[in-house]
Amino acid sequence: MIDAPGSLLTAFLVGLLGGVHCLGMCGGIVVTLTAGLSGRARSGALTSLPYQLGYNAGRLVGYVFAGILMGGFGAVLTQSLSLQHGQRILYGVSGVVMVLLGLYLADWWRGLGRLEALGSRLWRHIEPLGRRLLPVTSPAHAVALGFAWAWLPCGLVYSVLIWALAAGSAAQGGLLMLSFGLGTLPNLLGIGLLAGAVARVADWTWVRRAAGLLVIGFGLQALWRLTGS
């Protein structure tokens, strides 16, 4: 179960401060998509902005859709077990995932990257569909391609999806993924000085470790609550 709005804020911070990983994973995709636009569309920041917004809007829709599916599945799991027992299991999953995300943000453990291998099979089926959407000819077309992009294997995304499984409902799962997706926007939009500033701040060791400790603290708090319930 998620403890809104604290969990939503935590998911946003994970997206924001995991931006260095996002730039490494998706930065090349952004460059490739921009280079594939017509000469007029990529002639300047303002002319390419509708396409960049389209890519990222589609990506956020994909994240929310996946979060709804996972949150709904978690709710069904809870109902199939005794309610109290199911809630305890999902709350425990939520706490463990937050601890692992905190370790990842602080750069103390990179094991979440192994989740990317699990999604590679799904991506093999989606990637050819994404290729058919190239080249991008309109902002609406960019939204469709962004939706396909959302399913790119990414350990950070998959970790938050597991967290969404423990959200308790489809709506909460969708909100959790939306918060995470919004956190990734400053880095992936890549417009103006703001994005560069966020990327630089997110790369400061003390910022990453402070954020990691904060997220670990939320996870440990959730696990501690289980011992008293």
Side-chain angles (χ1 to χ4, degrees):
M1 311 295 286
I2 68 171
D3 182 18
S7 292
L8 300 183
L9 176 60
T10 303
F12 179 83
L13 288 175
V14 168
L16 183 67
L17 297 174
V20 175
H21 173 85
C22 290
L23 286 174
M25 173 71 72
C26 300
I29 295 176
V30 174
V31 172
T32 301
L33 294 179
T34 302
L37 297 175
S38 67
R40 183 179 178 183
R42 68 170 187 266
S43 60
L46 288 179
T47 52
S48 66
L49 179 58
Y51 295 87
Q52 299 294 338
L53 292 174
Y55 294 140
N56 284 281
R59 185 172 60 86
L60 288 184
V61 170
Y63 287 170
V64 171
F65 180 71
I68 288 172
L69 289 179
M70 293 296 283
F73 181 65
V76 171
L77 262 176
T78 301
Q79 292 172 2
S80 65
L81 303 170
S82 67
L83 182 61
Q84 185 178 8
H85 186 56
Q87 287 178 335
R88 285 177 60 84
I89 291 175
L90 293 183
Y91 203 82
V93 169
S94 176
V96 169
V97 170
M98 278 192 279
V99 170
L100 295 180
L101 284 169
L103 292 171
Y104 175 89
L105 284 182
D107 207 16
W108 289 327
W109 183 69
R110 310 295 287 181
L112 292 181
R114 296 172 187 167
L115 289 174
E116 293 166 11
L118 298 178
S120 59
R121 294 182 180 179
L122 175 63
W123 180 243
R124 289 195 199 106
H125 298 286
I126 297 176
E127 192 266 345
L129 298 177
R131 285 185 178 275
R132 293 178 187 176
L133 296 171
L134 295 171
V136 175
T137 57
S138 69
H141 197 172
V143 173
L145 187 57
F147 184 84
W149 174 14
W151 304 91
L152 181 76
C154 172
L156 200 60
V157 174
Y158 290 171
S159 299
V160 183
L161 274 176
I162 294 173
W163 189 4
L165 176 70
S169 72
Q172 288 180 313
L175 279 174
L176 194 70
M177 287 302 295
L178 176 61
S179 298
F180 166 77
L182 290 174
T184 66
L185 281 181
N187 285 298
L188 290 183
L189 274 175
I191 53 174
L193 296 175
L194 177 61
V198 171
R200 287 191 296 271
V201 169
D203 202 27
W204 292 349
T205 300
W206 73 268
V207 171
R208 291 179 64 84
R209 289 184 176 173
L213 286 171
L214 180 65
V215 175
I216 289 170
F218 286 141
L220 292 177
Q221 181 186 37
L223 294 174
W224 176 256
R225 287 180 183 175
L226 282 177
T227 65
S229 60

